[in-house]
Amino acid sequence: MCPLGTFSRLPQPAFLSEPELQSFDLAIDHLSGSGARSEEEEMSTIVLSNNAAKLMRLCEIEGFRNIEEILFASMTDSVCPAICTTEGCDYTAEMEPDQDQGYCEACGGNTVTSALVLADLI
């Protein structure tokens, strides 16, 4: 499979003229037409960054040296360290490994998420 933007370096097919080939190349480079990322892509990036930050904070609170340690401990037990995903709330608890809507006793939301879910392993 060719990386994006390499079509202009390929031999020209007999059925496409140079201007047609260049416009085809630009259409592939900018599928949305604007060249900007979609709103969904921007939101996904923010959520992933928040999950990573919460996972790192959970490691710190629970006394793990790195993410690998907390994930190994989580995979080998029936309960899993979990943290509230609300910004500014660092409430932690032991939850089921697949928990993604546990009750937070600090802020009152159903926002406590297990380390395995935060790491996108479940």
Side-chain angles (χ1 to χ4, degrees):
M1 182 171 193
C2 295
L4 294 178
T6 61
F7 290 103
S8 59
R9 287 174 258 160
L10 296 174
Q12 281 190 352
F15 59 90
L16 288 178
S17 67
E18 180 66 29
E20 290 171 327
L21 188 61
Q22 287 177 350
S23 67
F24 182 68
D25 183 29
L26 292 174
I28 290 176
D29 283 342
H30 305 288
L31 294 175
S32 67
S34 67
R37 293 172 48 167
S38 71
E39 187 175 333
E40 291 83 8
E41 289 173 322
E42 291 293 331
M43 290 174 63
S44 295
T45 301
I46 292 168
V47 170
L48 291 175
S49 296
N50 183 45
N51 285 354
K54 285 294 186 171
L55 186 56
M56 291 173 57
R57 181 70 180 132
L58 183 58
C59 286
E60 182 182 322
I61 292 169
E62 295 290 321
F64 291 96
R65 290 180 294 182
N66 55 45
I67 292 173
E68 289 83 14
E69 282 186 3
I70 196 170
L71 295 179
F72 181 76
S74 299
M75 288 187 284
T76 58
D77 201 348
S78 61
V79 292
C80 180
I83 190 167
C84 179
T85 56
T86 301
E87 188 175 334
C89 183
D90 286 336
Y91 173 78
T92 62
E94 295 288 322
M95 299 269 177
E96 297 83 9
D98 63 345
Q99 183 63 259
D100 63 350
Q101 295 182 2
Y103 180 73
C104 177
E105 293 182 16
C107 69
N110 289 334
T111 53
V112 178
T113 304
S114 80
L116 293 176
V117 173
L118 288 172
D120 204 23
L121 294 175
I122 294 183

Coordinates of all heavy atoms in Angstrom, one line a residue, residues 82-86 89-95 101-113:
A82 N -9.1 1.6 40.5 CA -9.9 2.5 39.6 C -9.9 3.9 40.2 O -9.6 4.1 41.3 CB -11.4 1.9 39.6
I83 N -10.1 4.8 39.3 CA -10.1 6.3 39.6 C -11.2 7.0 39.0 O -11.7 6.6 37.9 CB -8.7 6.9 39.2 CG1 -8.5 8.3 39.8 CG2 -8.5 6.8 37.7 CD1 -7.1 8.8 39.7
C84 N -11.7 8.1 39.6 CA -12.7 8.9 39.1 C -12.1 9.7 37.9 O -11.0 10.2 38.0 CB -13.2 9.9 40.2 SG -14.5 11.0 39.5
T85 N -12.8 9.7 36.8 CA -12.4 10.4 35.6 C -12.8 11.9 35.5 O -12.5 12.6 34.6 CB -12.8 9.7 34.3 OG1 -14.2 9.5 34.4 CG2 -12.1 8.3 34.3
T86 N -13.5 12.4 36.5 CA -13.9 13.8 36.6 C -12.7 14.6 36.8 O -11.8 14.3 37.7 CB -14.9 14.0 37.7 OG1 -16.1 13.2 37.4 CG2 -15.4 15.5 37.7
C89 N -11.0 15.5 40.4 CA -11.3 14.5 41.4 C -10.4 13.3 41.3 O -10.3 12.8 40.2 CB -12.8 14.0 41.2 SG -13.3 12.8 42.5
D90 N -9.7 12.9 42.3 CA -8.8 11.8 42.3 C -9.2 10.7 43.2 O -8.4 10.0 43.8 CB -7.4 12.3 42.7 CG -6.7 13.1 41.6 OD1 -7.1 12.9 40.4 OD2 -5.8 13.9 41.9
Y91 N -10.5 10.5 43.4 CA -11.1 9.4 44.2 C -10.7 8.1 43.6 O -10.8 7.9 42.4 CB -12.6 9.6 44.3 CG -13.2 8.4 45.0 CD1 -13.2 8.3 46.4 CD2 -13.8 7.4 44.3 CE1 -13.8 7.2 47.1 CE2 -14.4 6.3 44.9 CZ -14.4 6.2 46.3 OH -15.0 5.1 47.0
T92 N -10.1 7.2 44.4 CA -9.8 5.9 44.0 C -10.6 4.8 44.7 O -11.0 5.1 45.9 CB -8.3 5.6 44.1 OG1 -7.9 5.7 45.5 CG2 -7.5 6.6 43.3
A93 N -10.7 3.7 44.1 CA -11.4 2.5 44.8 C -10.9 1.2 44.1 O -10.3 1.3 43.0 CB -12.9 2.7 44.6
E94 N -11.3 0.1 44.6 CA -11.1 -1.2 44.0 C -12.4 -1.5 43.3 O -13.5 -1.5 44.0 CB -10.7 -2.2 45.0 CG -9.4 -2.0 45.7 CD -8.2 -2.2 44.8 OE1 -8.3 -3.2 43.9 OE2 -7.2 -1.5 44.8
M95 N -12.4 -1.8 42.0 CA -13.6 -2.1 41.3 C -13.4 -3.4 40.4 O -12.3 -3.9 40.4 CB -14.0 -0.9 40.3 CG -14.2 0.4 41.0 SD -16.0 0.5 41.3 CE -16.1 2.0 42.2
Q101 N -18.2 2.8 34.9 CA -19.2 3.8 35.4 C -19.5 3.5 36.9 O -20.6 3.6 37.3 CB -20.6 3.6 34.6 CG -20.4 4.0 33.2 CD -21.8 3.9 32.4 OE1 -22.8 3.6 33.0 NE2 -21.8 4.2 31.2
G102 N -18.4 3.3 37.6 CA -18.5 3.1 39.0 C -18.9 4.4 39.8 O -18.6 5.5 39.3
Y103 N -19.5 4.3 40.9 CA -20.0 5.4 41.7 C -18.8 6.1 42.4 O -18.0 5.4 43.1 CB -21.1 5.0 42.7 CG -21.6 6.2 43.5 CD1 -22.4 7.1 42.9 CD2 -21.2 6.3 44.8 CE1 -22.8 8.2 43.7 CE2 -21.6 7.4 45.6 CZ -22.4 8.4 45.0 OH -22.9 9.4 45.7
C104 N -18.7 7.4 42.3 CA -17.6 8.1 43.0 C -18.2 8.7 44.3 O -19.1 9.5 44.2 CB -17.1 9.3 42.1 SG -15.8 10.3 42.9
E105 N -17.7 8.3 45.4 CA -18.2 8.8 46.7 C -17.7 10.2 47.0 O -18.3 10.9 47.8 CB -17.7 7.8 47.8 CG -18.3 6.5 47.7 CD -17.9 5.5 48.8 OE1 -17.3 6.0 49.9 OE2 -18.1 4.3 48.7
A106 N -16.7 10.7 46.2 CA -16.3 12.1 46.4 C -17.1 13.1 45.7 O -17.5 14.1 46.3 CB -14.8 12.2 46.0
C107 N -17.4 12.8 44.4 CA -18.1 13.8 43.6 C -19.5 13.4 43.3 O -20.3 14.2 42.7 CB -17.3 14.2 42.4 SG -17.2 12.9 41.1
G108 N -19.9 12.2 43.5 CA -21.3 11.7 43.3 C -21.6 11.2 41.9 O -22.8 10.9 41.7
G109 N -20.7 11.2 41.0 CA -21.0 10.8 39.7 C -20.7 9.3 39.4 O -20.1 8.7 40.3
N110 N -21.2 8.8 38.4 CA -20.9 7.4 37.9 C -19.7 7.5 37.0 O -19.8 7.2 35.8 CB -22.1 6.7 37.3 CG -23.1 6.4 38.3 OD1 -22.9 6.3 39.5 ND2 -24.4 6.4 37.8
T111 N -18.5 7.9 37.5 CA -17.4 8.2 36.7 C -16.1 7.5 37.1 O -15.0 7.8 36.6 CB -17.1 9.7 36.8 OG1 -17.0 10.1 38.2 CG2 -18.2 10.5 36.2
V112 N -16.2 6.5 38.0 CA -15.0 5.7 38.4 C -14.7 4.6 37.4 O -15.6 3.9 37.0 CB -15.2 5.1 39.8 CG1 -13.9 4.3 40.2 CG2 -15.4 6.3 40.8
T113 N -13.5 4.6 36.9 CA -13.1 3.7 35.8 C -11.9 2.9 36.2 O -11.0 3.5 36.7 CB -12.8 4.5 34.5 OG1 -14.0 5.3 34.2 CG2 -12.5 3.6 33.3

